[in-house]
Amino acid sequence: MTVSRTVCLGFLAVITIGTILLMMPFSTSDGTWNDPIVALFTSTSAVCVTGLSVVDPGSYFSFWGQLFMTLLVQIGGLGYMTSTTFLILLIGRKFDLRQKVAIQQALDRPGMSGSAQVIRSIIATTLIFEITGIFLLLPAFVPKFGWNQGLWLSIFHSVNAWNNAGFSLFKDNLIGYQSSLLVVFTITMLIIFGGIGYQVILEMYFWLRDRILKKNHNQIFSLDFKVATSTTIILLVIGTIAFFCIEIRNPETFGYLNLRGQILVAWFQSVTPRTAGFNTIDIGKMTTAGLFITIALMFIGASPGGTGGGMKTTTLRVLTSCTKTILQGKEEVLLYDRKIAISLILKAVGVLVGSIATVILATILISLTDPTLDFIQILFEVVSAFATVGLSTGITASISTAAKLILIVTMYIGRVGVLLLMSAVLGDPRPTRIHYPEENLLVG
């Protein structure tokens, strides 16, 4: 079995197990058997670290149901291969060649050596950030809910924030904490670092370590680091300014807040579309312009190697650099004085075309199953599902069963990746030595 099929079937297996667990009477708050569609939708949303929900997790699910959701989010955020490899390391087994190849391709590494060390670093990074998030959230939740409930709320929201899932145990998500600097800072930092990629975090750690120890040698950052960090910062700044300017006169989102609250909400709204799904305002009451900006940010998504989804920041930079190259009349695509290989450009184009095709098809299908819904609501929901974000205008619970099934498939495609899924279905691509004659074609 190919690596792509192993990963795709692995996610399906985890979703199936999660569905069975969430269907059990002990997973629901009223102690009855759960609706299979609700269980399937919730399990898929958790494993795909999306955060869309057809029910209120805080009141619908029991502690065990919420615990299962947390575990599914953790497995989904780490990825199937990372989670499986970690279990292999725990029981003390050694990797065979096939497993090393699978890890290499799943983590998009240049070589097979050091895979076990990379997995340990990923797990350690995850635990450090999640535990830090738990301790930072305790002062916000414990005084109001007590130690037991406050601790659980901190654990649940920290895990969901780091894994860019967006499930919340509050009925209004995080709207009640929109002016809490502690909650906003903690959640947004977990979202950003969770979505920026493990490799970027490790490079940042080594740079800080060298600065603290005052080592003389200068660290050379990788192209991945430069592109991921710069693009993330640019999108966060532009998003914050755009939301502040557009929604400031909307009395149902920003208008009733003071300046400090407006800045916090604008910042949070800029961060959360990067595939997190938490919200501190009512998304359904945003202006059309605000919704379209959110859709754009959701579609772009996080960075490769992180817990987020979407088209990815690196794909965006490669495509924009291609456009810049054409406009300048050059023939080589450059990023930070480095030439981008034609294979990466073709991969970026493939990701873009596959992503757009998936969103268009899902939007058309839901428009047919639920014709009474507004187009902007359907498009928002589909992009949120595909980019594994979890934001919603409030229609998730009311859509038809057919539409829910379409969103389930969309979330799955968004999590495993369009190209990986096509490789699993069609088989891994094989290089060819056949070269055909070149001919010009009118484009544009």
Side-chain angles (χ1 to χ4, degrees), residues 95-107:
F95 302 145
D96 56 27
L97 180 61
R98 184 171 175 274
Q99 289 170 330
K100 290 182 179 179
V101 173
I103 296 168
Q104 175 204 358
Q105 295 188 19
L107 299 178

Side-chain angles (χ1 to χ4, degrees), residues 52-53 282-284 377 380-381 391-399:
L52 284 175
S53 182
D282 188 343
I283 302 297
Q377 291 181 314
F380 192 98
E381 203 81 6
L391 291 175
S392 175
T393 56
I395 66 172
T396 314
S398 60
I399 58 178

Side-chain angles (χ1 to χ4, degrees), residues 75-212:
I75 294 173
L78 289 172
Y80 170 73
M81 287 307 304
T82 303
S83 303
T84 304
T85 306
F86 180 62
L87 292 177
I88 293 174
L89 290 173
L90 281 181
I91 61 178
R93 286 180 53 189
K94 293 184 178 181
F95 302 145
D96 56 27
L97 180 61
R98 184 171 175 274
Q99 289 170 330
K100 290 182 179 179
V101 173
I103 296 168
Q104 175 204 358
Q105 295 188 19
L107 299 178
D108 199 17
R109 285 174 51 78
M112 291 184 290
S113 61
S115 296
Q117 184 61 39
V118 172
I119 297 297
R120 292 189 184 97
S121 299
I122 291 175
I123 299 298
T125 303
T126 299
L127 291 176
I128 290 171
F129 274 92
E130 288 181 351
I131 292 173
T132 302
I134 292 170
F135 279 107
L136 289 176
L137 291 174
L138 283 175
F141 297 144
V142 170
K144 183 177 180 180
F145 298 97
W147 265 106
N148 291 338
Q149 184 66 4
L151 176 61
W152 175 238
L153 288 170
S154 300
I155 294 172
F156 188 90
H157 288 87
S158 180
V159 171
N160 273 269
W162 168 256
N163 290 288
N164 280 221
F167 285 110
S168 176
L169 297 181
F170 304 114
K171 283 189 176 182
D172 61 353
N173 208 279
L174 295 178
I175 294 178
Y177 293 90
Q178 61 184 189
S179 297
S180 172
L181 183 61
L182 177 61
V183 173
V184 169
F185 171 80
T186 303
I187 297 296
T188 53
M189 287 301 103
L190 287 172
I191 292 170
I192 292 171
F193 282 103
I196 205 169
Y198 296 103
Q199 183 62 36
V200 172
I201 295 174
L202 289 177
E203 287 191 47
M204 200 177 300
Y205 163 73
F206 289 128
W207 180 82
L208 288 173
R209 185 194 63 181
D210 292 344
R211 282 287 181 271
I212 295 173

Side-chain angles (χ1 to χ4, degrees), residues 223 318-319 322 325-326 330-334 338-351 419 435 438:
L223 186 60
V318 169
L319 294 173
C322 287
T325 300
I326 293 296
K330 298 179 180 179
E331 295 183 355
E332 291 184 346
V333 179
L334 301 177
R338 293 293 184 271
K339 180 182 176 181
I340 305 301
I342 186 66
S343 59
L344 291 179
I345 297 174
L346 294 176
K347 184 177 181 180
V349 173
V351 170
L419 298 184
H435 297 281
E438 184 178 298

